[in-house]
Amino acid sequence: MNSAKEIAEEIKKKLPIKDVETAVILGSGLSGFAQILEHQQSLRYKEINGFPQTSVSGHKGELIYGYIGAKEVLCLNGRFHLYEGHEPQTIAQVIRVLKDLGIKRLIITNAAGSLRKDMAPGTLMLIKDHINFSGKNPLVGANDEIYGCRFPAMNNAYPEHLREKCKKIAEKLKISVKEGTYFMVLGPNFETAAEVRAFGILGGDAVGMSTVPEVIAAVHCGIEVLGISVITNYAAGLVNNTPTHQETLEEADKASLRMSALVTEFIKEEE
Ligand code: HPA
């Protein structure tokens, strides 16, 4: 397997990266954001030696480099889910490639099911914390001290200053946002009604099958994270409903413009 450093070096040979500090990981149906990048150039994951490949429909598999105003941005359009069979360590490696490319801030978006009747589909939810119920962890195995310590703290994974800044921008743009705890399951099946009740009691506000491995790996290596969920559906049984992947894609697509506007302005206003 190629090291993260080797993969980063190869990417630098193929893209004219100068000083990139922000990366965005796009969730299901949210790839519209990628079109906003100016002067963009992309590499398919297939073109990058040692880079893992994605498989789910709605997830493309390309690394896009470009500008928002004067800011360089890297965008991962297509992510790696544990339910596809990817090892959690593979996800850590992708994050470390970003670290080796100079990334200091990671904006992660996803689609998630609401665990609260008062949080309807279409809501944008800033992630203030997470519960890792996947049973997996990207940091399992020998620790690479170059990236971070053996036992990293995870209680400030989504720093308040980034969420506060995002809330201010949302207010300015008149985009309504809520805040909540993201509850990660392994998937790929949607939850049972009993699980949905249990996850709500445990403190989750939204349930999804991604994001947490990336966040753990990012926090480990000192990358700050802003996480935003698009609530695409009520979680199974919450309102007597049965979720489908199609529904999540359609709802994510509807929210895509708002999500893109929020992320774009957030990046523009970075110091
Ligand atoms: N459950 C799990 N993952 C999801 C859901 C859900 O209801 N919606 C979008 N991703």
Side-chain angles (χ1 to χ4, degrees):
M1 194 155 95
N2 302 43
S3 71
K5 219 177 183 59
E6 284 166 345
I7 298 173
E9 286 309 316
E10 194 194 328
I11 292 169
K12 278 191 211 157
K13 278 186 204 143
K14 294 182 171 168
L15 294 173
I17 295 173
K18 291 195 235 20
D19 183 16
V20 67
E21 294 192 347
T22 303
V24 185
I25 299 182
L26 299 175
S28 299
L30 295 167
S31 53
F33 173 78
Q35 286 149 27
I36 290 174
L37 294 186
E38 297 159 61
H39 311 295
Q40 62 171 264
Q41 295 188 30
S42 62
L43 286 176
R44 299 196 59 79
Y45 295 163
K46 279 188 209 132
E47 298 173 87
I48 310 167
N49 257 331
F51 214 77
Q53 307 301 315
T54 50
S55 68
V56 185
S57 71
H59 292 273
K60 276 191 170 152
E62 52 183 356
L63 177 70
I64 307 168
Y65 165 76
Y67 284 82
I68 288 186
K71 302 264 164 47
E72 285 171 65
V73 179
L74 276 173
C75 188
L76 286 168
N77 191 11
R79 59 145 50 102
F80 304 94
H81 298 94
L82 298 180
Y83 63 73
E84 293 173 274
H86 293 293
E87 293 299 329
Q89 292 82 0
T90 305
I91 298 179
Q93 205 200 20
V94 171
I95 298 299
R96 288 168 189 174
V97 170
L98 296 178
K99 175 79 180 175
D100 288 333
L101 288 169
I103 294 302
K104 296 191 168 55
R105 237 162 285 105
L106 185 59
I107 302 171
I108 304 192
T109 68
N110 62 43
S114 173
L115 295 167
R116 307 274 173 227
K117 283 186 182 154
D118 62 1
M119 194 160 65
T123 305
L124 296 184
M125 184 191 89
L126 300 187
I127 303 176
K128 68 165 189 267
D129 208 342
H130 73 229
I131 295 172
N132 181 9
F133 202 74
S134 69
K136 307 263 182 171
N137 194 302
L139 306 180
V140 166
N143 184 54
D144 190 341
E145 293 287 332
I146 291 177
Y147 292 100
C149 69
R150 175 73 289 187
F151 301 107
M154 213 44 65
N155 57 319
N156 192 24
Y158 306 86
E160 194 176 356
H161 73 103
L162 295 184
R163 284 183 282 122
E164 286 306 316
K165 187 178 140 184
C166 193
K167 278 191 248 175
K168 280 201 188 111
I169 290 168
E171 208 179 308
K172 189 176 86 180
L173 298 178
K174 298 194 167 46
I175 293 173
S176 147
V177 292
K178 292 200 171 173
E179 242 180 351
T181 296
Y182 179 85
F183 194 101
M184 186 203 173
V185 291
L186 182 60
N189 60 281
F190 287 110
E191 298 67 42
T192 65
E195 285 167 343
V196 167
R197 283 194 298 276
F199 299 165
I201 291 167
L202 285 175
D205 296 301
V207 57
M209 306 172 193
S210 68
T211 301
V212 168
E214 288 105 317
V215 172
I216 292 174
V219 171
H220 176 250
C221 67
I223 296 175
E224 288 196 315
V225 176
L226 174 74
I228 313 173
S229 294
V230 177
I231 303 300
T232 53
N233 57 286
Y234 286 111
L238 195 72
V239 292
N240 249 324
N241 60 315
T242 302
T244 63
H245 184 51
Q246 189 55 31
E247 176 190 11
T248 64
L249 290 181
E250 282 168 17
E251 283 296 327
D253 190 51
K254 282 191 216 161
S256 180
L257 274 182
R258 270 179 297 141
M259 176 71 98
S260 296
L262 191 58
V263 172
T264 303
E265 196 60 27
F266 184 89
I267 294 171
K268 268 191 194 154
E269 292 196 11
E270 265 165 1
E271 289 85 41

